[in-house]
Each structure stands twice: as C-alpha cells, then as structure tokens.
Amino acid sequence: MYRLAIFCLILLMAAAASQAAPGLPEGFPAERDARIPSPAEVIGFEPGQRHPRVDQIVRYFEVLAEATDRVRIEVTGQSHDGRPLLLAYFGSPERLANLEDLRAGRQAASRAGEGPPVVWLGYSVHGDEASGASAAMVTAWYLAASESAEAQAWRDDVLVIMEPVLNPDGLDRFAHWVNMHRGQHPSADPVDREHREAWPRGRTNYYWFDLNRDWLPLVHPESRARIANYHRWRPHVVTDHHEMGHLTSYFFQPGVPERANPLQPARNVELTEQLAVYHAAALDAAGEPYFTQERFDDYYVGKGSTYPDLTGGVGILFEQGSTRGHLMRTPFGLRSFADAVANQVRTSLSTIRGSHDLGDELIAYQAAFFREQRQAAQRGSNSGWLLGDGGDPGRAHRLLEVLLQHDIQVRPVTTTVTIEGREHAPGSAWALPADQDHYLLLRSIFSEPTELAMDTFYDVSAWPLQRSFGLPLARVNRLPAMAQALSAPPSRTAASIPEQAVAWVIPWDQYGAAPTLAALLADDLRIQAATRPLTITTAEGPRALKRGSLVIHPAIQPVEPTDLRRRLLALAERHGIEVLAATDGLTTAGPDLGSPSLPMLTTPRVAMLTGEGLRPNHAGYIWHWFDTRLEQPLTRIDWWRLGIGFEPGRQGALDGLTHLILPDGDYNALPPAVHNQIEAFVHGGGHLIAARSASRFVEGLAFDWNFSGEPPERERPQQRPYGDHESDVARELIGGSALRVFLDASHPLAFGYPDGEIATFRRGAHRLQGTTNPYAEPGRYAEDPLLAGYLSAENHTRLAGTPALAATRVGPGLVIRMADDFLFRGYWLGTERLFANAVFFSSLISETRLPE
C-alpha cells in the first residue's frame, strides 16, 4: 500500500507538471527541459491553487539552481524575522559562469554603454499582494526550462535578476491567514473572512512598515540588501509587481502624466511607453482588460518604480486587481488567484521581451543618463553641497550611511567651513560634489520645493533628508579642500571617560542620549535631568550645558562606582555619545548638581494601543523606535481589552503603567468602555501621548479642557463640477510635507532643541485645538509654515500659528497631543527627541495656571 501511494503521488505530480502553469505561453511545457522541475513538483501544488510560504519559494529556487546551470541564486541578507532575502540570476551558462566579472564591471559598463541589458524583476513588496511571489516561481521555471527560440535568445542576450519576495515576513503572515481560511470550496464574497485579514495584516513588514516607501530612507534590512545589489548591477529595467483593489483590472505604467517626478528624463518616459506596448500585447492576447494613465504616479523617489527613473534605469509599476485570497467576485467576473498570478507572469515575460528587443536603446539611454548628469552638474552654478553634523555626530553618521548606501560620493572637508551660520571643523563636515553619477538623485533628496505644478500626490510631496535628519546643508558655488571619497562612514572616536568624577554628565542634545537614558533607567540607576541651563567644571575646563542634560552621581547609585563607570563606557561606545566628568558639585553658572532644579527621573512603563481601526504603519513606527532605537520593550495592548471587566476606580489592563500611547487611527468606533478606561488612566495619574488623529479623539474626552475657541468653520463651497470631486478632495489632503515649527526650548517637551526651530513631517489635515493656558503649547507652526512640499491655501491658513505640540495637566495626570508623526517612517530623526521627551521628561511638566 505504501508503494502504491508513492506511485500515485508521483503520477499526480507528473500530471501537474504536464499542465502549463498560469500565464505561460502556449507550447510550454512541451518545449522544455524536462530535467528542470516545475514549481508544482517541488512545493506540491500548482502556483495559484494555494499561497506558498516563503520557505517553499526559497526551496524551489534552491532546487532550480541545483538542476540547471542557467540559474544562480544568492542569499543577500535576512529579514527582521530571519527569513532569507534571495536574488536569482538567469542567463546562459557561459554568462553565469562569468557573473562575478560582469558584476565587477557593471558600473563602468553602464557609463560606457556596454551590455548586456540587465532586467531586475521584483515581486510582492506588500505581503498581501501575493500574486507576484507565485508569479516569480512560474517565471523562473520558464526562464530556466524553456527551449523555445525566444527564451534561448533571452538567456544569450539578457541578464535577468529576480527578487522573488521583497517582503518575506509580510508574505508569510498573509499566506498563513488565507490558507488557514480557505475552504475546499473557496468563497468569492469580498466580505468573507478569508478576504478580511486581521490587524495588522500582511501588507507591511515585521515592524508594520510599508517597504515600498523605504527605497530612500533604507531603514530596514530588506531595503538595504536590495539597494546594495541594485547599485552593483545598475539594471536597465526594474519591475515592481503589486496588487490593488478587487474592483479594478490591471495597471501598468506610464501612469498619470501630470504627476510624474519633474526630474524624470523625457527619454525615460518614452522608453516606458515603448515597453508598455509589449505589456498591452501580452494582455490583449489573453483577453485581459487594463489601464495605464490613471490613479498611479511616478513622483516619490522612495518607491520601487520611481527610484530607478532617477538612477539610470527604467522603473515600471504593475498593479493586478486582487483576489486577497483564492477566489474573488469582481465587476469583471470571478477572479481566481491563478488568474492574478497569470497576469503577473505575462507582464514579467513582456518586460523581458521588450527589454530584449529594445536592448540597444536601453543601454544607450543609461550611458547618456550618466553622461548628461555630469554635464548638467558642470554647467550648473553650484559645485555641490556641504553637510555639517550640527553638533550631533550621531545623526550625521546615520545620514552618511544612507548617502553611501545610495552610491553617492561623499568627501570629508579638510578645512573649517561655515554651514547655515555655524562653523564646522574638519571631521564635522562633508562635501557632496555635484559632478558625480547620481547628481539627479542628490538634487531630488535635498530638494525643498514649495511651488509644485501638481496638487495631487499618491504619496508624500517632499522628502528633504537634511530636514528629516535635522542637519545643516548648504549649496555652494565652490567646494573647499576635500579628502578622498569615503567608502564607509567615518569611524567614531573611541569613548573615553575619566576614572573619577563627582558626577557623570550626558548632554541631552546627542542622538544616542535617549537609548543611553533608557538603559540606565532600566538598570534602576538614579538619573537627574537639568531643567535649567548650567555650566559644570571638568578637567578640560568649564562646559556649558543645555536643559535636559543628564546627571549621574556615583555615590548614590545601587552599584559600585567602578561598575557604573564600566557601564557608562559601554553605553558611550554603543551609542556614540560623549560622557562628561564633573569635578565639582558646584557649578560656575546655573543650578548646582544637587539642586531641586535637577529632579530625579522615574522609569517609564509604557504601553501602546493597537488593533482594528488604528493605523498599523504609525503603530509600527513607534514599536520599531522602542525596540531598535531605545532597545526597550513596548507593551502593545489591543484596544478591545480595555473594555473587558472595566469598573470605575480600576484601571484593568492599564494597571501599573505610567504612559499610554495612542497612535494614529480612527477612534470613532471605540466603545464607551474604552473611552472610560483611558479617562480613568489619566485621572489616576497616567500620562497619555496622543499622536495625529488620536489627538483629536482625546480632545473629546472628559478632561475639563479649556479650549481657546472652536476651529473656524469652512465656508460653504460654491457649485463645482461633479467630475472635479476626486481632485478637489485630493487637493485638500496633506499627503506629506515638511513644516516649520517653533519650540519653547524651556519646556521639558522641547529639551535638547536650543535653537527653537525644527522641521516636522505633516500628514493629514487635522488641527490641534488651542487652550487658554499660555504655557501648554511648546510647539507651534510658523505663520508661514511650509518648508517643502505641497500645502493648499486653505490648509496653510488653517495651520499657520496653531499648536503642533501641547501638554495639559489633568489633575495628577497629563495629556500630550502631537499634531505630527515625530517618528515618521523611522527616518525623521530630527524630531525623534520630541517623542523621547514625552516618554522620559513628562514627569517634569508642572501645572502652569496663572492666579485668578
């Protein structure tokens, strides 16, 4: 019986292999190398029948590479959750045998106009847009096994690089969900549980970030691994296979013409349109409907289809109408997962077909691109940019890492330079010459547009990295003396701490100060924070310190002074901070080190609400910051748990916490029991941090607000054409702009910002209500707030001069309202300290009420 079962299994798998997988040309698999296994022979089912796990996909590519010398694979890294990040190469055996030499010479070849054409196929950067990952296996089988004349020509003439799964952690979450809920007779009803994945869903990565926005900031290992190989290979064509809502058909670029990035070369658009002819032919032959110039744009450089356009390639976005499972009822009829996979396969092959036919044009375009960028830089009035560390080497180190990962030339300055009115000595300033291959990318990432030709954006409208990192930058007509270009960020100076000190002092305006404080408090050490400026005495002389500076007296700690020093030295090394040794408890200016003006800090015990209705992205930014930046745990509580067994006078799930964070989301659906427990938490002495739309929610809770007046009502609009509704709505949204905020540097929430001005990243049109307390709003938008991006005239008026950050005492408790996302996408480092202040310094905020 056992042998019979095995025999039957072999017959079944052979039968599956004899049928063409979704989307492949007629005649295949008859015209194939039968020694090369199909996906079904390895994973046990035909792509499109079920959703494969990442380990199954990886195993198929391993088997494929073992079976033929037409395929090579590399593991380029690991995801946050330890899943392998894979690249697969397809070509003739002769070409793949010479792969290392080809890679080593690709940058020179890209400038010289030498081939072969390199096509990079990328799939499923959003884990719940899973048809791409299954299509990757089918496409790989065809490229490896097909004996057709066309496939052989592709292998001879083109190098195909494939990234089968851009987001392995999200894909596995989604695959588990839909496979778990798939019946033997799958439901096509869009409201079926299979199609309604539970929060936070599989779209995002491990920390709930959207990886298709991470091509620029490079926060995550998936993106860093990809971009390193991208710049080694400089592909001519890059695809980005997605899914969209089930009510739609299939999309491929060029996209909305009016919303293209203004730096995108005209020839790039022409080549995109030429390749579109091949996609249209493939889908027409299959009778599949599609569209090309609506909905999607090519504007934000941090997306997978736009980044190549500004770095020498041609990026193409594909969007398949989704099944969000195995079978979906759509306006176009029943759509199976196999149908979705088939279209992704068709456009994968049409991309290779078009790139093969247009190979000479693509190669010539790339060479001209790099040549013209250098010529444009030489013609321009500016020679480049000067970047300074602004007194915080930690943030500068992080930005230099990002720039170097983008293959941007960075050269240390060897003489003192002035940047934005501040002198920077050698070691604290760097030059970014305009005359380099990626001049166009440099222009994009440092651009601060305030007048834009369009007013509708699929994503953000600006992304100036100098603003996000809070560092000084200047365009210059002439570059100063420079050293050789960096190959890696400069090494940090080894930490050094004197053997003895009356007190150790850590300036708060350092990027590494917050994780250092978190670690010290977790060690149950006694840490003071200066609420007034002071000047201490050190062996090197007097040192002036700003508010927020941390003071650690060795004599009052629960550990021996030598152990304390050893711990401080280890933290200084890890986080790149300066630790000062005060030689005297008396200061030369300001309060003494034992003054009441240096109160003891308490260890925060922090939780964040999660669950349906709240934004996974924003919650993920906060969790990621706690977990990877502060290196501390964050308790995540699904909001529905707050309503279980709640009784007045008891905090229930919030018992023992000092802080509760409410991320952005729709709080209208939360039941009254949840409202009541949040109110009880604050009235019982808890500190509530409400960000973005959550701040509007807490303004409606019973906290005895003294608002200074209701927001002005919008005027009744005049009659408008029905057809303009969509664009009118989009015009008033704030998809993402950098705004100027003025800070009260004396307030604990603004400690560490002595200049009193920062750039915050604004999304959404919500507006904080002002209060009658003149001391409760330490951050306010400037009267002319726009620094970069798009802001409609109405939103400009609504936000000008209004609160961006507010703190209100409610009895023993505290409510902190944040209008903006101070941890935006993990790279807006310039405002991270505002969030840290809310966590660590909220206990320093006193009741501020003028006498009657």
Side-chain angles (χ1 to χ4, degrees), residues 576-744:
I577 62 165
E578 179 185 29
V579 180
L580 305 173
T583 58
D584 198 329
L586 290 172
T587 62
T588 58
D592 297 323
L593 298 187
S595 165
S597 295
L598 280 76
M600 206 70 69
L601 297 175
T602 57
T603 303
R605 297 182 299 280
V606 189
M608 175 179 65
L609 281 197
T610 54
E612 286 297 336
L614 308 187
R615 282 192 61 238
N617 291 133
H618 190 230
Y621 305 157
I622 298 167
W623 174 31
H624 177 265
W625 182 71
F626 270 88
D627 203 35
T628 68
R629 189 73 203 108
L630 294 187
E631 300 178 342
Q632 298 297 318
L634 172 67
T635 299
R636 291 153 294 160
I637 304 175
D638 285 340
W639 58 259
W640 56 267
R641 292 188 180 276
L642 270 61
I644 297 176
F646 174 71
E647 299 176 7
R650 292 184 56 199
Q651 294 180 3
L654 306 181
D655 191 26
L657 297 174
T658 60
H659 293 70
L660 178 63
I661 300 172
L662 306 184
D664 187 32
D666 180 7
Y667 286 82
N668 293 327
L670 270 59
V674 175
H675 299 199
N676 295 340
Q677 192 162 170
I678 293 173
E679 291 169 351
F681 172 75
V682 174
H683 288 299
H687 293 186
L688 187 66
I689 301 173
R692 295 190 60 192
S693 61
S695 61
R696 183 169 55 213
F697 162 68
V698 302
E699 289 173 354
L701 297 180
F703 291 143
D704 295 327
W705 297 103
N706 290 308
F707 292 126
S708 55
E710 293 298 320
E713 294 185 3
R714 299 191 180 197
E715 296 181 4
R716 177 181 173 83
Q718 297 179 351
Q719 181 69 31
R720 297 280 296 159
Y722 173 83
D724 289 349
H725 171 260
E726 186 174 343
S727 59
D728 286 348
V729 170
R731 189 179 301 112
E732 295 308 318
L733 297 176
I734 305 177
S737 305
L739 303 188
R740 178 184 286 108
V741 169
F742 292 122
L743 296 173
D744 171 7

Side-chain angles (χ1 to χ4, degrees), residues 213-219 300-302 307 385-388 395-396 398-406 408 410 420 432 441-449 460 462-474 738 759 761 787-788 824-831:
R213 307 297 186 267
D214 197 44
W215 281 69
L216 177 62
L218 301 178
V219 171
Y300 170 48
V301 72
Y307 186 88
W385 294 261
L386 290 179
L387 173 70
R395 271 182 291 134
R398 285 286 304 275
L399 180 53
L400 291 175
E401 280 183 330
V402 172
L403 294 174
L404 292 171
Q405 287 167 338
H406 284 297
I408 288 171
V410 180
E420 293 185 359
L432 309 167
L441 181 61
L442 271 171
R443 287 176 59 194
S444 175
I445 64 179
F446 291 143
S447 176
E448 297 182 279
V460 299
W463 46 90
L465 289 190
Q466 72 276 24
R467 296 289 186 182
S468 71
F469 283 79
L471 295 173
L473 181 82
F761 198 78
L787 289 170
F824 180 66
R825 290 182 179 167
Y827 79 99
W828 211 267
L829 272 59
T831 51

Side-chain angles (χ1 to χ4, degrees), residues 349-556:
L349 299 182
S350 67
T351 298
I352 303 170
R353 182 175 297 114
S355 300
H356 177 267
D357 293 353
L358 301 173
D360 290 343
E361 295 182 58
L362 290 165
I363 291 169
Y365 163 71
Q366 190 175 74
F369 176 91
F370 291 119
R371 181 175 62 252
E372 290 167 3
Q373 294 318 304
R374 289 183 175 270
Q375 291 172 348
Q378 293 161 6
R379 289 194 303 268
S381 60
N382 73 300
S383 297
W385 294 261
L386 290 179
L387 173 70
D389 71 5
D392 188 352
R395 271 182 291 134
H397 190 273
R398 285 286 304 275
L399 180 53
L400 291 175
E401 280 183 330
V402 172
L403 294 174
L404 292 171
Q405 287 167 338
H406 284 297
D407 196 32
I408 288 171
Q409 183 188 135
V410 180
R411 302 181 65 179
V413 169
T414 58
T415 185
T416 298
V417 294
T418 301
I419 308 173
E420 293 185 359
R422 178 173 180 165
E423 286 194 348
H424 288 76
S428 65
W430 300 268
L432 309 167
D435 187 6
Q436 59 176 292
D437 285 355
H438 292 303
Y439 172 59
L440 198 64
L441 181 61
L442 271 171
R443 287 176 59 194
S444 175
I445 64 179
F446 291 143
S447 176
E448 297 182 279
T450 55
E451 296 182 6
L452 296 166
M454 71 279 276
D455 53 22
T456 301
F457 303 87
Y458 186 75
D459 195 67
V460 299
S461 62
W463 46 90
L465 289 190
Q466 72 276 24
R467 296 289 186 182
S468 71
F469 283 79
L471 295 173
L473 181 82
R475 295 182 66 166
V476 292
N477 295 329
R478 184 174 182 179
L479 292 171
M482 302 174 290
Q484 292 298 312
L486 297 174
S487 58
S491 301
R492 292 169 173 161
T493 304
S496 176
I497 301 177
E499 293 288 339
Q500 301 292 329
V502 169
W504 307 108
V505 182
I506 301 174
W508 185 242
D509 56 354
Q510 305 178 85
Y511 180 58
T516 300
L517 174 58
L520 294 173
L521 290 174
D523 290 344
D524 293 325
L525 298 179
R526 299 182 178 96
I527 315 297
Q528 297 164 263
T531 60
R532 292 167 51 195
L534 68 162
T535 301
I536 63 171
T537 302
T538 71
E540 292 76 28
R543 179 68 178 269
L545 297 167
K546 302 294 192 298
R547 291 178 171 91
S549 296
L550 309 175
V551 176
I552 307 107
H553 281 89
I556 64 172

Side-chain angles (χ1 to χ4, degrees), residues 7-22 24 28-30 32 36-49 60 138 141:
F7 178 71
C8 292
L9 178 61
I10 292 172
L11 287 178
L12 286 171
M13 295 181 70
S18 68
Q19 300 173 2
L24 291 178
F28 187 86
R32 72 179 180 105
I36 299 174
S38 71
E41 291 175 286
V42 176
I43 66 175
F45 56 88
E46 197 68 60
Q49 290 181 348
Y60 178 66
V138 178
W141 181 35

Side-chain angles (χ1 to χ4, degrees), residues 131-132 135 241-242 250 318 320 340-348:
S131 58
H241 291 260
H242 288 252
Y250 196 90
F318 296 108
Q320 164 65 48
V341 172
N343 281 340
Q344 303 282 33
V345 172
R346 291 178 182 115
T347 52
S348 297

